[in-house]
């Protein structure tokens, strides 16, 4: 099967009350772990690449690895640029074979965000690619951008219709209280999401796919393993899985997960090396990491996203 856009995936997910997992990738083991899990669950999946991941692994290596995953699994897979921050990087990914891009204009004014997003949409649609835009600002860290909780802002539902109509975007990321990274809530703080904003957005944009960034749940099992095996890591709290499940049953069709993968991968390496200090073959310590990624993604598909069996 060739790469697919998210168009049909999202239509089915919206109607079926589930979401598609969008997992960040930057190496072979992560891609294999995710796609093997999706294959066993017969689930569609989105593999997404940030600017930093693209710089780390190189565009051509990532597209070729994803091509291999398509051959290996025969699943509907979309290849998506995560947090493109200007027209050039979006164009480069569209020209280079991605089926979906995000233009993240959320740091700009409303009007500048519209102008930039519209420019990307025009180019993308002329080349068979779909576009995710963003309104509202999430807290947390992506590459070199660090948005403090004070600078974060919820999406204003009264802006979404104008944004979607004037830009022509295919999906919209909104800010309802999730944030990037592993440290989303302070110890003792009760995790909360603004479902009222999600509901209001859905009312104003009927049948329109909404995207949730910063949606890792931060498995305590992996945090504890990292701490136990020498990692210097503070206690971390993510988004409760039942809240993500609730969002997936509403208008949210794409749920972004990166930090959970990082924790699972790192826990696998730390545990293996601590228990086998004389081993130095990367295949030995990367195997448990790949297995952890696969187990994590299966768990997400079955218990959080609800997308099992949706690959037809
Ligand atoms: O939303 C951000 C993703 O977790 C990507 O992170 O920019 O460090 O690759 P990165
Ligand atoms: P997490 O840091 O919660 O995994 O969010 C990832 C993300 O939103 C990628 O765009
Ligand atoms: Zn994000």
């Amino acid at each position: 099967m060739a790469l697919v856009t998210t168009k049909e995936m999202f239509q089915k997910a919206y109607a079926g009350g589930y979401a598609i997992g969008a997992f960040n990738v930057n190496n072979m083991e992560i891609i294999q772990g995710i796609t093997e899990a999706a294959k066993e669950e017969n689930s569609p999946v989105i593999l997404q690449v940030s600017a930093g991941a693209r710089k780390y692994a190189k565009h051509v290596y990532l597209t070729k690895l994803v091509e291999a995953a398509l051959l290996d699994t025969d699943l509907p897979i979309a290849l998506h640029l995560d947090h493109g921050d200007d027209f050039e990087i979006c164009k480069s990914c569209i020209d280079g074979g991605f089926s979906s891009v995000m233009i993240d204009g959320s740091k700009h004014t409303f009007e500048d965000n519209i102008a930039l997003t519209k420019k990307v949409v025009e180019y993308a649609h002329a080349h068979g690619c779909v576009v995710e835009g963003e309104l509202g600002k999430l807290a947390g860290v992506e590459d070199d951008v660090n948005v403090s909780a004070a600078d974060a802002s919820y999406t204003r539902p009264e802006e979404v219709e104008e944004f979607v109509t004037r830009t022509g975007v295919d999906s919209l990321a909104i800010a309802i209280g999730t944030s990037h990274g592993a440290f989303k809530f302070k110890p003792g703080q009760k995790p909360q999401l603004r479902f009222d904003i999600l509901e209001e957005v859905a009312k104003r944009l009927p049948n329109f796919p909404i995207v949730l960034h910063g949606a890792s749940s931060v498995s305590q099992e992996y945090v504890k393993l990292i701490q136990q095996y020498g990692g210097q890591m503070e206690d971390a709290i993510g988004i409760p899985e039942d809240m993500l499940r609730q969002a997936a049953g509403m208008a949210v069709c794409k749920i972004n997960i990166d930090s959970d993968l990082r924790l699972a991968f790192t826990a696998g390496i730390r545990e293996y090396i601590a228990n086998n200090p004389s081993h130095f073959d990367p295949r030995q310590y990367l195997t448990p990491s790949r297995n952890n990624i696969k187990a994590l993604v299966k768990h997400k598909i079955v218990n959080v996203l609800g997308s099992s069996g949706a690959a037809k």
Side-chain angles (χ1 to χ4, degrees), residues 22-24 48 50 80 82-83 102 132 134 138 141-142 178-184 211-218 238-239 254-262:
F23 299 98
N24 285 70
Q48 59 185 12
S50 69
H80 173 76
D82 191 27
H83 293 283
M102 174 190 194
E132 172 186 326
E134 177 165 338
L138 270 69
V141 185
E142 315 148 14
T178 61
S179 59
H180 289 113
F183 307 97
K184 300 185 192 296
V211 178
L212 218 51
H213 283 246
S216 279
S217 293
V218 184
I239 312 295
K254 173 174 180 271
I255 291 189
N256 282 14
I257 295 166
D258 187 3
S259 298
D260 277 339
L261 299 170
R262 296 179 185 200

Side-chain angles (χ1 to χ4, degrees), residues 29-298:
E29 286 77 10
I30 294 175
I31 291 174
Q32 288 177 336
I34 296 165
T35 54
E36 284 170 15
K39 175 76 183 167
E40 286 181 21
E41 288 304 323
N42 197 26
S43 169
V45 72
I46 300 167
L47 300 177
Q48 59 185 12
V49 172
S50 69
R54 194 164 168 259
K55 197 165 154 195
Y56 168 78
K58 290 193 184 171
H59 185 100
V60 66
Y61 284 85
L62 291 173
T63 51
K64 292 296 169 191
L65 284 169
V66 172
E67 216 174 291
L70 284 164
L71 287 172
D72 193 38
T73 63
D74 202 29
L75 279 179
I77 297 177
L79 177 57
H80 173 76
L81 168 67
D82 191 27
H83 293 283
D85 77 342
D86 58 24
F87 176 77
E88 283 66 36
I89 188 168
C90 292
K91 179 179 184 300
S92 169
C93 288
I94 295 163
D95 294 346
F98 281 37
S99 59
S100 172
V101 294
M102 174 190 194
I103 176 69
D104 181 356
S106 61
K107 63 174 184 285
H108 299 295
T109 62
F110 185 64
E111 282 302 323
D112 288 352
N113 189 357
I114 288 181
L116 176 61
T117 304
K118 187 170 188 284
K119 185 174 172 190
V120 172
V121 168
E122 280 166 3
Y123 190 81
H125 285 180
H127 293 81
C129 189
V130 291
V131 181
E132 172 186 326
E134 177 165 338
L135 264 183
K137 211 184 274 181
L138 270 69
V141 185
E142 315 148 14
D143 275 344
D144 302 330
V145 186
N146 188 346
V147 181
S148 71
D151 288 335
S153 53
Y154 293 118
T155 302
R156 291 157 50 88
E158 58 276 25
E159 290 182 345
V160 297
E161 293 141 292
E162 185 181 350
F163 185 82
V164 167
T165 313
R166 286 178 59 195
T167 59
V169 278
D170 302 281
S171 62
L172 182 68
I174 63 169
I176 59 168
T178 61
S179 59
H180 289 113
F183 307 97
K184 300 185 192 296
F185 300 100
K186 301 213 162 51
Q189 195 183 358
K190 195 167 167 263
Q192 268 176 338
L193 295 185
R194 291 289 304 272
F195 282 102
D196 58 319
I197 295 180
L198 175 56
E199 232 165 71
E200 186 57 32
V201 167
K203 231 182 263 167
R204 290 167 182 262
L205 297 173
N207 277 315
F208 190 82
I210 300 301
V211 178
L212 218 51
H213 283 246
S216 279
S217 293
V218 184
S219 152
Q220 294 306 298
E221 181 195 340
Y222 292 133
V223 171
K224 294 274 166 330
L225 279 172
I226 291 171
Q227 291 171 333
Q228 179 185 344
Y229 291 112
Q232 292 183 348
M233 185 179 179
E234 308 266 306
D235 285 343
I237 301 169
I239 312 295
E241 291 186 344
D242 58 337
M243 290 189 187
L244 296 171
R245 188 68 208 99
Q246 188 181 340
M250 299 166 70
V252 170
C253 294
K254 173 174 180 271
I255 291 189
N256 282 14
I257 295 166
D258 187 3
S259 298
D260 277 339
L261 299 170
R262 296 179 185 200
L263 293 167
F265 202 86
T266 302
I269 293 181
R270 280 199 175 276
E271 185 179 15
Y272 185 88
I273 289 185
N275 290 324
N276 302 275
S278 64
H279 291 187
F280 51 84
D281 180 340
R283 291 170 297 184
Q284 290 173 318
Y285 57 78
L286 292 176
T287 297
S289 291
R290 181 171 58 189
N291 291 343
N292 282 358
I293 296 284
K294 184 172 173 183
L296 174 86
V297 171
K298 267 193 149 202

